[in-house]
Amino acid sequence: MKIIRKRLNDMIYRTGLILLAVTLIIFLIPELLSVEDRLTWFFLNHAITAGYFLTLWFSGRLRRGREGLHPFFLFLLMFLVGAYALNRNIPVFEVSAPWFAVTIILCSVNYIAFAFIRVVPVPVRMVMFFLLGLSLCCFLYMTIYILPFTGFGLLLFFFFGISLHVLVPLLFFLYTIRLFRRSYAKRRPYKLAFWSGIGITVLIVLVYTILWRMNVVQMNKEYSRWNNQVRGTYLPAWLHVAAHITPNPVTEKVLKAEMVYTTVDGWDRSFFNFGSSLNWNEARKHDPLVMIASTLGGTSGMTGEERIHILKYLYDSRYEAEERLWSGDDLQTTHVQTSARIWPRLRMAYTEKTVSVKNSLITKWTNRQEAIYIFHLPEGAVVSSLSLWINGREEKGILTTKAKADSAYKTIVGVENRDPSVVHWQEGNTVTVRVFPVMNNEERQFKLGITAPLSLEHGALIYRNIYFDGPSTGSTGEDVDISFETPPADLQRSGIFSKGKDGRLTASGPYRADWQVSFKDEGLAHQLFSANGKVFSVAPYRKEMAAADVSDVYLDINSAWSKQEYNSVLSLLKYKRVWVYVDEMMEQVTDQNRSDLFEQAAESRFSLFPFFEVAQPANAIVITKGVVNSPSVDDLENARFMDALKEWLAGGQHIMLYNLGGELSPYLRTLKECRTFRYDQGDITALKGLLDDHRFPASMETDQRIVVESAGMTINETPGTEVSTAPDHLQRLFAYNHIMHAMGPRLLTGGDESDTLVAEASESYIVTPLSSLVVLEKNEDYERFNIRDSNNSLGNASLAGKGAVPEPHEWALIVIGLLLIVYLKFRPVLFKRTAKI
């Protein structure tokens, strides 16, 4: 305690601690308040630091024997804070990787603690000396990194000493050595701890560099193998790399090197703040391990675009690769309001997501940013409404063709910088929503409505939250309100929900993407929706079996398969020709090569089966197993593989596909949307039954009937007029799935848009590959881009839904209204009779 009192009674040392705290607060203010003008705050920091240094100088505390080492370290720490403050305006270092930022903070605290080392226990001293060795390595690295600017900094020192910040790492390195020598340096345990800190740090760097080099060699080897093929390959070389590398943190950083993480190759560009020219929405970072490993171990030979393709699938990073017209770096999702209406007896739901997004940047300068969201929809679901709040007022979206909506949005956002919002269909059950502008320190709000089937699984209906990728949700709140048309049986819900007296489920708290509600399936009710001379109804889906004379079986093998599954399937196919696709070649399975073919094929993390290689599609079946993370069709756009596939699809080919388990890959899911397959799924026993019976489910869909397989139902359209007892969402679901069925292969092959299908989308007011919803600021904007609302359509969907069965309180209002009409109509007659009496 005597030593502690001595330190704290030292006026200069105590003042240094206070000023260090003040500089830290000043440093944090621009970050916490998202202030753009940060140079003023730096100068305030710099003035405090310079003032403390002059105090040390004129007080004589820097002379030998005046116990000035610990106060000098307080000055160095202030100088370090100032260096990082200056770095915001002159970015010598990119934003530090989280682990490195924590390490620097820990080392800084350790420097302060050395002033009190005599009062701490020996084990704590050992840790302190270990951290001192770690600090030496960190500041040596920073000294070397910044060395090219040291001469530049010394030449310009006369400008208020600002450029002398380049000397901060060197000063820390030199005075760390001095601190070690002055603090029990001759004692063996402390010396061992100090050198252990250095040794372990060097060991970590060496191990990381070796792992880095192994990943780079593996990538470059696979890439070169396929990139230098004499014969043309169907797939680009990067796809073969993606199929065979193992995803881990080092692999991810190798792929992001220079694009996100600073490397030697991009170091000069980083300093001059040019950033990356690649379309990747992630802040650039400085990671010493990546910098050292890439310098010693090299980088991947693939282009940035090829590495982006791999990152999109391998790390589910499609949001980061989305095309942007404006930055969205400072956007945060602040709140999500989820309101849902569920019709258990129709196995469908309508969900409205009201999302608030804020630009957290506080600045006197105008700052516009673009908010982009990717919503992941259930299979067969469709977007049926869009709203954007403009000047505090909700403006509904208007449905138009995708081309018109895209043209209007890009023109207004890219050139005129005014208010639009647009939602586009994307393959793989996703849609993108774009909102512009989100101004600095302001909040925008939009609402998206989704009509979706429920998922029927093992006798239970499941409603899953519709989640999204978008601006940060780290501090996002969510309110959920779920109502049911009829009371659900055996309701199971996540713990976040509470149940009200009216049967509603409500929840309030932080945003969660993965909650769900389930209840017993009580069968489909006979309810109808009628509009424009058409009646829509639902019926249970029962597979219609058709003859299947299978002569060739193709196994779509990837890492999801087990050897046991492979052998079990082969045992069913003794009298059929069996094929496996390996290294872009179709190989027939024999007793001699069966094991080798499986080992080769199972090394691949995903598979892209070439259906165009099937000789006789009518007599062939492909057996697959789902892999969620794999490239999508748009990743293959410029590959020979896609050209061959489109040519095959244009021929109207259909093939049997059997899924042994797991969710279909994005590639197969898109082809399924194109109605390419006669599809079924199940286990090996069910497969045996199909093969033994020579039967397979037939395609049941027609222009009057569509299948919603996930909900176990069909939706039928018949001519006529009936009283509607079902919501209009029934028509919307039918229209979306019918359009997908009617377009079929044209989803990929292209071709003229059918006026009939465009009209069907317009009538049902749904987002499809042909249509989009858009909100523009002014009526003149709609007229300029020839966007007109249809008078003969369902319009934007709502939670009530046209034709829906009224709520109890609505029935009461209806009855009261009818009684009032009767009273007003017959009142004169009643009064006359009363008068006669």
Side-chain angles (χ1 to χ4, degrees):
M1 295 299 295
K2 182 179 179 181
I3 295 174
I4 295 176
R5 283 196 299 269
K6 180 182 177 182
R7 292 290 183 205
L8 297 180
N9 288 332
D10 183 342
M11 180 63 71
I12 291 180
Y13 186 81
R14 188 170 69 244
T15 302
L17 286 174
I18 294 171
L19 292 179
L20 177 60
V22 171
T23 56
L24 284 171
I25 293 171
I26 294 172
F27 175 80
L28 291 173
I29 285 175
E31 290 294 329
L32 296 175
L33 301 181
S34 299
V35 177
E36 190 174 77
D37 181 18
R38 300 177 177 184
L39 198 58
T40 302
W41 297 94
F42 158 73
F43 277 113
L44 184 56
N45 246 335
H46 186 56
I48 294 172
T49 304
Y52 187 66
F53 176 77
L54 292 175
T55 300
L56 292 176
W57 180 275
F58 289 113
S59 67
R61 291 296 294 270
L62 298 181
R63 297 174 189 171
R64 185 183 296 273
R66 296 293 300 273
E67 297 187 6
L69 184 60
H70 296 301
F72 186 74
F73 265 104
L74 294 180
F75 156 71
L76 286 181
L77 291 173
M78 293 181 211
F79 211 11
L80 180 64
V81 172
Y84 276 108
L86 181 61
N87 192 69
R88 291 167 174 163
N89 298 280
I90 306 176
V92 176
F93 288 93
E94 298 290 354
V95 176
S96 295
W99 73 265
F100 189 59
V102 171
T103 300
I104 293 299
I105 293 172
L106 195 60
C107 292
S108 299
V109 172
N110 191 52
Y111 284 123
I112 298 173
F114 258 90
F116 308 94
I117 193 169
R118 293 183 181 179
V119 300
V120 299
V122 172
V124 177
R125 294 182 188 180
M126 298 284 286
V127 173
M128 291 171 64
F129 275 98
F130 178 88
L131 290 176
L132 198 64
L134 172 62
S135 304
L136 188 74
C137 296
C138 290
F139 287 107
L140 175 61
Y141 163 78
M142 295 170 73
T143 301
I144 296 172
Y145 179 86
I146 210 171
L147 192 62
F149 301 109
T150 304
F152 177 77
L154 291 173
L155 288 175
L156 297 178
F157 77 94
F158 54 85
F159 187 67
F160 303 109
I162 293 175
S163 63
L164 292 179
H165 283 88
V166 297
L167 298 178
V168 170
L170 178 61
L171 290 173
F172 265 103
F173 175 74
L174 296 174
Y175 278 89
T176 298
I177 296 174
R178 185 173 181 181
L179 181 62
F180 169 66
R181 289 179 174 176
R182 294 276 300 273
S183 305
Y184 304 101
K186 295 182 179 180
R187 296 189 181 183
R188 182 185 174 100
Y190 304 140
K191 188 181 295 185
L192 180 63
F194 177 77
W195 287 105
S196 295
I198 296 174
I200 290 177
T201 303
V202 172
L203 180 63
I204 291 172
V205 171
L206 288 176
V207 171
Y208 192 89
T209 302
I210 291 170
L211 293 174
W212 179 282
R213 181 58 184 168
M214 290 170 62
N215 276 275
V216 169
V217 168
Q218 182 188 8
M219 288 183 194
N220 289 345
K221 181 180 179 182
E222 194 70 28
Y223 185 76
S224 298
R225 174 191 171 196
W226 291 98
N227 201 42
N228 299 327
Q229 289 284 335
V230 176
R231 64 181 179 88
T233 60
Y234 279 120
L235 295 170
W238 68 262
L239 257 168
H240 292 280
V241 176
H244 292 92
I245 61 175
T246 303
N248 57 59
V250 178
T251 303
E252 182 179 6
K253 290 180 179 179
V254 171
L255 292 169
K256 291 181 178 180
E258 188 180 346
M259 186 167 58
V260 173
Y261 292 97
T262 310
T263 63
V264 172
D265 293 336
W267 181 79
D268 54 342
R269 181 170 62 224
S270 170
F271 172 67
F272 291 107
N273 202 27
F274 293 152
S276 171
S277 60
L278 299 170
N279 185 37
W280 188 259
N281 184 44
E282 184 176 352
R284 287 178 60 84
K285 301 180 182 67
H286 180 93
D287 189 322
L289 287 175
V290 172
M291 187 68 176
I292 296 170
S294 62
T295 303
L296 300 177
T299 56
S300 168
M302 293 181 289
T303 65
E305 286 78 7
E306 290 171 323
R307 286 182 281 130
I308 283 178
H309 281 304
I310 297 176
L311 286 164
K312 281 168 63 177
Y313 112 80
L314 201 61
Y315 296 95
D316 195 20
S317 301
R318 297 186 182 278
Y319 173 74
E320 285 77 9
E322 194 70 28
E323 179 187 6
R324 295 171 187 277
L325 299 178
W326 290 74
S327 168
D329 294 343
D330 300 294
L331 299 183
Q332 296 177 349
T333 304
T334 56
H335 189 265
V336 178
Q337 171 67 50
T338 300
S339 301
R341 177 73 171 169
I342 298 177
W343 290 265
R345 301 301 299 272
L346 292 174
R347 297 178 187 169
M348 69 173 61
Y350 173 69
T351 305
E352 286 185 345
K353 291 278 187 179
T354 305
V355 180
S356 299
V357 57
K358 183 177 182 179
N359 184 341
S360 59
L361 192 64
I362 300 176
T363 173
K364 59 185 178 181
W365 307 108
T366 300
N367 178 273
R368 299 178 175 90
Q369 299 199 17
E370 180 184 23
I372 300 177
Y373 288 82
I374 298 178
F375 284 81
H376 299 261
L377 310 186
E379 184 177 350
V382 61
V383 169
S384 48
S385 72
L386 173 69
S387 295
L388 176 67
W389 273 255
I390 300 177
N391 297 325
R393 178 180 174 182
E394 180 183 1
E395 299 290 346
K396 296 284 188 178
I398 293 181
L399 194 87
T400 185
T401 63
K402 184 175 182 179
K404 285 183 180 179
D406 197 48
S407 173
Y409 183 83
K410 288 185 176 179
T411 299
I412 294 175
V413 170
V415 179
E416 301 171 12
N417 304 337
R418 291 189 289 110
D419 283 84
S421 178
V422 67
V423 54
H424 285 315
W425 177 91
Q426 283 190 330
E427 67 176 59
N429 303 324
T430 62
V431 295
T432 57
V433 180
R434 294 172 179 267
V435 175
F436 182 87
V438 186
M439 308 297 288
N440 45 289
N441 199 31
E442 290 186 0
E443 193 170 78
R444 298 300 302 272
Q445 191 176 44
F446 71 91
K447 180 171 68 180
L448 189 71
I450 301 106
T451 301
L454 301 175
S455 180
L456 178 60
E457 301 176 15
H458 309 294
L461 292 171
I462 301 176
Y463 172 87
R464 292 186 172 89
N465 184 28
I466 296 171
Y467 69 98
F468 59 80
D469 300 320
S472 172
T473 57
S475 57
T476 304
E478 181 178 25
D479 293 318
V480 183
D481 185 353
I482 301 176
S483 62
F484 298 87
E485 182 216 10
T486 55
D490 192 20
L491 179 65
Q492 304 292 324
R493 61 187 189 271
S494 301
I496 62 172
F497 288 103
S498 58
K499 190 174 181 180
K501 293 181 180 179
D502 57 356
R504 288 177 179 268
L505 297 180
T506 58
S508 183
Y511 171 75
R512 291 176 55 182
D514 57 353
W515 55 261
Q516 67 178 40
V517 172
S518 67
F519 43 89
K520 182 181 178 181
D521 173 41
E522 298 181 274
L524 289 165
H526 181 68
Q527 295 185 25
L528 309 171
F529 177 76
S530 178
N532 297 327
K534 292 174 284 190
V535 178
F536 301 91
S537 60
V538 294
Y541 168 53
R542 294 183 177 88
K543 296 176 183 178
E544 293 182 358
M545 308 303 288
D549 185 16
V550 177
S551 59
D552 292 270
V553 178
Y554 295 82
L555 304 183
D556 181 23
I557 295 175
N558 50 52
S559 60
W561 285 66
S562 68
K563 188 68 172 288
Q564 182 180 355
E565 286 174 326
Y566 175 70
N567 290 329
S568 298
V569 170
L570 288 183
S571 66
L572 304 178
L573 309 172
K574 293 180 180 178
Y575 305 107
K576 302 184 186 297
R577 292 188 295 270
V578 182
W579 306 81
V580 173
Y581 188 67
V582 178
D583 286 346
E584 297 200 7
M585 295 184 66
M586 197 68 75
E587 301 278 358
Q588 185 172 356
V589 179
T590 65
D591 290 337
Q592 291 73 33
N593 67 8
R594 58 183 288 170
S595 182
D596 290 340
L597 287 178
F598 177 79
E599 297 299 333
Q600 284 181 264
E603 287 180 357
S604 180
R605 298 188 53 79
F606 61 86
S607 52
L608 296 169
F609 188 82
F611 292 95
F612 49 83
E613 291 275 5
V614 177
Q616 298 177 347
N619 302 107
I621 183 172
V622 178
I623 302 173
T624 188
K625 195 168 183 188
V627 178
V628 176
N629 287 337
S630 73
S632 60
V633 168
D634 65 338
D635 293 325
L636 311 172
E637 191 57 41
N638 298 319
R640 285 184 59 239
F641 181 96
M642 202 62 207
D643 295 335
L645 182 63
K646 287 181 179 180
E647 184 178 349
W648 182 80
L649 290 171
Q653 305 283 3
H654 286 81
I655 193 168
M656 291 176 279
L657 180 72
Y658 190 86
N659 182 13
L660 283 176
E663 185 178 338
L664 288 179
S665 68
Y667 166 69
L668 290 178
R669 205 158 57 230
T670 299
L671 292 183
K672 187 170 181 283
E673 285 181 332
C674 294
R675 273 50 178 185
T676 304
F677 311 125
R678 290 170 57 185
Y679 177 78
D680 200 8
Q681 61 183 10
D683 56 19
I684 294 176
T685 302
L687 174 62
K688 182 179 184 302
L690 293 173
L691 293 174
D692 291 344
D693 294 341
H694 300 282
R695 298 172 72 78
F696 200 83
S699 175
M700 296 173 53
E701 292 186 312
T702 65
D703 284 339
Q704 289 74 42
R705 177 174 62 183
I706 61 96
V707 175
V708 184
E709 191 172 350
S710 61
M713 69 179 184
T714 63
I715 304 179
N716 306 294
E717 177 197 288
T718 55
T721 303
E722 299 283 349
V723 176
S724 294
T725 56
D728 57 17
H729 302 292
L730 201 59
Q731 177 180 338
R732 299 180 199 270
L733 275 184
F734 177 88
Y736 174 72
N737 287 279
H738 175 253
I739 289 170
M740 300 298 284
H741 165 257
M743 289 190 70
R746 279 188 296 157
L747 281 168
L748 298 181
T749 59
D752 296 334
E753 294 182 358
S754 168
D755 292 337
T756 304
L757 296 181
V758 172
E760 184 175 6
S762 177
E763 181 182 331
S764 299
Y765 233 72
I766 54 175
V767 173
T768 70
L770 306 175
S771 56
S772 297
L773 278 165
V774 64
V775 180
L776 303 180
E777 184 178 5
K778 301 177 181 178
N779 290 330
E780 292 82 357
D781 293 327
Y782 291 112
E783 294 174 4
R784 179 157 56 107
F785 295 100
N786 195 26
I787 297 174
R788 295 183 174 86
D789 206 357
S790 172
N791 295 322
N792 187 30
S793 70
L794 296 179
N796 280 278
S798 66
L799 285 168
K802 297 176 183 176
V805 178
E807 296 280 341
H809 65 277
E810 293 174 327
W811 277 117
L813 290 173
I814 291 171
V815 171
I816 292 171
L818 290 173
L819 291 174
L820 182 62
I821 292 171
V822 171
Y823 170 77
L824 292 173
K825 183 175 182 179
F826 293 103
R827 184 177 60 172
V829 177
L830 292 173
F831 276 118
K832 285 180 181 179
R833 289 181 180 177
T834 304
K836 289 179 180 180
I837 293 173

